[in-house]
Amino acid sequence: MATALTLPFEVQAHPAPVSDAERTRLIADPGFGKIFTDHMVVVRYSVDKGWHDAQVKPRGPIAIDPACAVLHYAQEIFEGLKAYRMPDGNVSLFRPEANARRFADSARRLAMPEVPEELFLESIRAIVEADRSWIPTVEGGSLYLRPFMFASEVFLGVKPASEYYYMVIASPAGAYFKGGAPAVSLWVSDDYSRAGPGGTGAAKCGGNYAASLLPQSQAIAQGCDQVVFLDAAEHKWVEELGGMNVFFVFEDGSMLTPPLGTILPGITRDSLMTLARDAGIAVREERYSIDQWKADAESGRLREAFACGTAAVVTPIGAVRGTSVDFKIGNGGPGVLTSELRAKLVAIQRGEAADPHGWVKRLF
Ligand SMILES: *Cc1c(COP(=O)(O)O)cnc(C)c1O
């Protein structure tokens, strides 16, 4: 199918947008994922027509048939990235091409059509342009963008659907944690794994999240903040949290993060590895067992551990518990290198520091 690289977006401005006063009130303390902007992007796909009907329109419910494939077989993928207001008032994105590429990778794994990179980037630009007044001005604020795609064919047969919706919604976000990130406690899941070899662990699909909810509830029931998953084959190697990658920092100043394969290839993970290496820090992508983690934390060889992802950026890990482990990391609070790397990355994202890798894409 010869699909155009991008499409003209028909822009239909909201006839009755949220008032200036109400919007100002909402974005003063937006929290995360609770409030939404006035518009949304909708693009349709069919095997016959390819990508077509690109629209920016008033945000609202969409009508789908009860036999819509996504409701039965979960053929769905998504992305998450942020638009930032720069010190000069311009608006920028952080590595959006990486999100576009990962979205295409996820699409291939879920047997869905790829959204061409140009169309993906244009859809992001279009919604940010329509809703730029929703970017919070509060310290640490951003406009969280959620591109997603789902199978919309009306058919109960099990096969890749022939029709899809690609959409983007936007949600103003405050600083994920007010007053800096507090250290979280992790629960090691005994009963469940997030992904297995050959599975969908490297794809950003809703199904992975559905499977993580029960173990996450068990973590909460155990008094922990987040679940940490071990590999499915040996139940030994640390993989990641339900929605964040993990890093370990050792007494010799080196860092380690689990290798790609069954984990989600985080853009924050990749960016932090690059920033650490820029600073002369040795970073290994190697398997790390839960037993080694415990031994190193207890001996003091491990100094810090943290989780990372777009939403919360960097979150220190203070303690790890499970049926056979219970240990603290460092003094149980945020580590020095963890805080430094977080500050470095945030400063680049917000245009407050030089951008040696050309990660920041100015929109307008
Ligand atoms: C999105 C996601 C991450 C983090 O990826 P970023 O690109 O850094 O936001 C990590 N793990 C999972 C399971 C994810 O879905």
Side-chain angles (χ1 to χ4, degrees):
M1 160 73 34
T3 306
L5 291 183
T6 190
L7 297 168
F9 276 78
E10 180 204 322
V11 181
Q12 202 186 316
H14 201 300
V18 171
S19 72
D20 287 349
E22 177 65 358
R23 190 182 61 245
T24 303
R25 189 185 70 76
L26 287 170
I27 66 177
D29 185 17
F32 183 81
K34 291 185 298 190
I35 62 173
F36 297 94
T37 61
D38 291 314
H39 297 90
M40 62 183 184
V41 161
V42 184
V43 190
R44 305 291 297 271
Y45 179 92
S46 67
V47 167
D48 295 342
K49 292 199 215 168
W51 291 106
H52 61 279
D53 274 358
Q55 292 185 301
V56 177
K57 59 197 276 188
R59 198 185 102 83
I62 50 172
I64 54 173
D65 190 279
C68 186
V70 67
L71 299 179
H72 303 273
Y73 309 125
Q75 209 188 355
E76 190 268 356
I77 57 171
F78 66 95
E79 270 303 324
L81 69 165
K82 290 172 169 175
Y84 306 87
R85 197 180 296 283
M86 308 301 265
D88 61 9
N90 289 343
V91 177
S92 70
L93 302 170
F94 184 73
R95 305 187 68 182
E97 305 85 2
N99 294 96
R101 282 195 294 273
R102 187 170 66 190
F103 198 60
D105 292 342
S106 298
R108 273 196 303 280
R109 179 62 185 84
L110 276 282
M112 301 167 91
E114 290 176 33
V115 175
E117 182 168 325
E118 295 80 356
L119 178 56
F120 182 93
L121 296 175
E122 182 57 21
S123 69
I124 301 291
R125 200 200 59 75
I127 192 163
V128 176
E129 182 164 39
D131 287 329
R132 65 183 293 178
S133 61
W134 284 88
I135 305 176
T137 47
V138 287
E139 164 103 36
S142 60
L143 187 62
Y144 182 80
L145 303 162
R146 169 53 62 87
F148 60 104
M149 189 200 324
F150 63 88
S152 57
E153 187 183 2
V154 178
F155 182 49
L156 293 183
V158 179
K159 66 157 185 83
S162 61
E163 291 171 21
Y164 297 86
Y165 275 69
Y166 165 61
M167 300 182 60
V168 190
I169 53 175
S171 175
Y176 203 82
F177 299 108
K178 284 182 194 146
V184 296
S185 56
L186 303 186
W187 176 254
V188 184
S189 185
D190 269 329
D191 305 328
Y192 303 103
S193 289
R194 180 185 162 272
T200 56
K204 211 167 172 73
C205 61
N208 288 343
Y209 279 73
S212 75
L213 298 178
L214 175 60
Q216 173 62 24
S217 309
Q218 293 177 334
I220 302 286
Q222 293 289 344
C224 292
D225 298 302
Q226 293 277 331
V227 63
V228 57
F229 290 105
L230 304 180
D231 75 293
E234 296 178 70
H235 212 68
K236 171 176 179 178
W237 307 105
V238 180
E239 296 224 309
E240 62 171 313
L241 314 192
M244 284 198 261
N245 298 119
V246 288
F247 277 88
F248 307 95
V249 182
F250 299 95
E251 65 179 346
D252 65 1
S254 71
M255 293 172 57
L256 182 152
T257 192
L260 299 181
T262 50
I263 65 166
L264 198 288
I267 296 163
T268 315
R269 173 187 178 277
D270 183 77
S271 305
L272 290 170
M273 283 201 294
T274 302
L275 291 180
R277 285 172 179 152
D278 286 354
I281 296 168
V283 187
R284 286 167 292 144
E285 293 180 77
E286 268 172 28
R287 299 203 294 182
Y288 193 57
S289 72
I290 182 68
D291 293 338
Q292 193 67 48
W293 192 2
K294 174 174 184 280
D296 290 344
E298 286 172 354
S299 73
R301 183 173 166 259
L302 180 86
R303 287 290 162 81
E304 310 177 21
F306 62 85
C308 66
T310 296
V313 192
V314 168
T315 303
I317 299 168
V320 181
R321 289 205 293 118
T323 45
S324 55
V325 291
D326 186 349
F327 58 91
K328 266 202 168 38
I329 292 156
N331 60 8
V336 175
L337 189 61
T338 299
S339 304
E340 276 175 21
L341 282 172
R342 178 193 168 90
K344 248 187 202 165
L345 180 58
V346 168
I348 295 174
Q349 289 173 330
R350 298 192 169 275
E352 291 156 4
D355 173 27
H357 299 283
W359 286 338
V360 173
K361 187 180 164 89
R362 283 179 180 262
L363 290 180
F364 26 75

